[in-house]
Amino acid sequence: MKLSSQAQAFVLHFGEMGSRWGFNRTVGQMFALLTIHPSPLNAEQLAQALKISRGNVSMGLKELQAWRLIELHHQPGDRKDYFTTAGSIWDLARTVFEERRKRELDPTLSLLRQLLLNEPQDDLDAQAQEKIQEVYSLLELLEEFTNTLSKLEHQDLLKLMKLGSGIVKLLEFKSKMTGGPSRSS
Amino acid sequence: MKLSSQAQAFVLHFGEMGSRWGFNRTVGQMFALLTIHPSPLNAEQLAQALKISRGNVSMGLKELQAWRLIELHHQPGDRKDYFTTAGSIWDLARTVFEERRKRELDPTLSLLRQLLLNEPQDDLDAQAQEKIQEVYSLLELLEEFTNTLSKLEHQDLLKLMKLGSGIVKLLEFKSKMTGGPSRSS
DNA sequence: TACAATTTTCAGAAATTTCTGAAACTTAAG
DNA sequence: CTTAAGTTTCAGAAATTTCTGAAAATTGTA
């Protein structure tokens, strides 16, 4: 399990970024290593390659499974658990995206929904309520939009992402077709 | 500076979520409070309302300014600095989105670009290089797409987000118009 | 210039998160 | 059933992040 200097750099960087993406350094490194390594790896190999404890690897694998980013394999005649990343790079990106939505958006939507049930007691309260409503509307729309995106076929998603400023043209066309009012701006 | 229980809950929740959104608890709370409070607040008021030290407030304000999420105001005859959030809820969301792209995507793109300059030394290296290229292509596309989105007019963005599964129809139409091959799948 | 109000800085304290490694647990095979 | 290979757990240690508060720096006013 010696890593090329390329792989080394890749793994270390994903460790650094890990915390910005929602997991800790070693989980980031484990994920990167499983991504860049051509064959399944077992816990011992991960621990050795990343120079971390066996226990830490176990916890990291559990976390990556909770993220649905890795899957378990077995080699004939070997009792060890081997792991690979779950699907293509695109599949993985989609999964990270969905899991992050779940962790970063859903709890807030849920709380704001709760808050909006309360009747405002006074004027100040009513003003706050209004702001809460605004935030809620935006986040709800974002939730629906990201949900739509993550349900798109790979092909369609690709097309959409490649549109660039062509998006505006397409939207304008849509307005015309459905008879919506044109915007002057 | 007494907070209604609504505001209280809102602020505390944003504190909890803060770490998932890229800032720490008190920064999250400060941002929430400035969002929900109808008038500008000074450092003393923030410290008092959130029960945190004056020094912590100063650091938090610096951070929120680095995120371009707040702006400074002055009240006539008062030397204190007063702060409000910078723009509408939509403006703020857009800013958070852009800053996060900058922090979560750009450094990785930059590293991967670097790695792709190296010539693979052996076969294993070449395989790794291929994976790096795949990740790079995806992230680059994502960067361009999010960049497109964040440049859209509010109106257009709203339209796009409200399309839902209508997006597929629009993409199909686009294919037809530009003569691209139709997909069977 | 002197002064007082205000903000910023930053060393160390406190809180939180991550990691280790030994013990407990699980499981497949004889 | 027993054993050994392998995995998970978790209490405490280590590392990291956040926070405090006093001192230093800045700024507006007279």
Side-chain angles (χ1 to χ4, degrees), chain A:
Chain A
M1 270 310 303
K2 64 182 199 317
L3 300 182
S4 72
S5 68
Q6 289 281 84
Q8 188 80 21
F10 184 83
V11 166
L12 290 180
H13 177 81
F14 273 64
E16 298 303 308
M17 297 301 285
S19 60
R20 297 188 191 182
W21 297 339
F23 22 76
N24 68 35
R25 179 175 30 222
T26 48
V27 170
Q29 291 180 349
M30 289 172 57
F31 181 54
L33 182 49
L34 290 173
T35 297
I36 209 171
H37 199 267
S39 59
L41 294 174
N42 64 42
E44 198 52 48
Q45 295 175 306
L46 287 167
Q48 196 154 45
L50 303 176
K51 303 195 200 334
I52 59 179
S53 76
R54 189 60 192 66
N56 198 0
V57 169
S58 179
M59 291 188 296
L61 288 171
K62 214 172 78 179
E63 171 123 21
L64 285 171
Q65 284 179 306
W67 278 79
R68 312 197 322 275
L69 287 171
I70 58 174
E71 53 192 37
L72 178 60
H73 298 272
H74 282 109
Q75 319 254 317
D78 188 341
R79 289 172 57 177
K80 293 192 197 70
D81 293 347
Y82 284 78
F83 295 89
T84 59
T85 45
S88 70
I89 299 289
W90 275 82
D91 294 333
L92 295 172
R94 203 185 278 263
T95 302
V96 169
F97 194 68
E98 280 171 22
E99 288 289 329
R100 287 184 63 172
R101 172 156 52 91
K102 205 179 297 174
R103 288 154 204 244
E104 297 176 14
L105 228 44
D106 293 1
T108 300
L109 279 172
S110 163
L111 175 87
L112 297 184
R113 207 174 287 128
Q114 205 57 45
L115 292 184
L116 288 171
L117 293 178
N118 300 334
E119 272 309 306
Q121 299 303 313
D122 54 25
D123 209 54
L124 200 75
D125 228 21
Q127 267 182 308
Q129 195 85 336
E130 232 171 280
K131 270 286 168 59
I132 292 174
Q133 175 66 59
E134 260 187 278
V135 175
Y136 180 73
S137 302
L138 187 154
L139 293 184
E140 195 185 31
L141 189 58
L142 187 59
E143 166 98 354
E144 281 164 11
F145 181 57
T146 54
N147 191 36
T148 298
L149 289 187
S150 73
K151 274 184 186 146
L152 285 184
E153 300 272 349
H154 180 179
Q155 293 276 0
D156 290 333
L157 189 54
L158 212 62
K159 260 194 252 177
L160 177 63
M161 293 180 82
K162 283 183 170 163
L163 275 181
S165 58
I167 282 185
V168 182
K169 296 245 165 63
L170 209 53
L171 286 169
E172 274 164 16
F173 165 79
K174 204 252 174 189
S175 289
K176 237 177 279 177
M177 286 299 96
T178 57
S182 68
R183 180 170 46 84
S184 54
S185 128

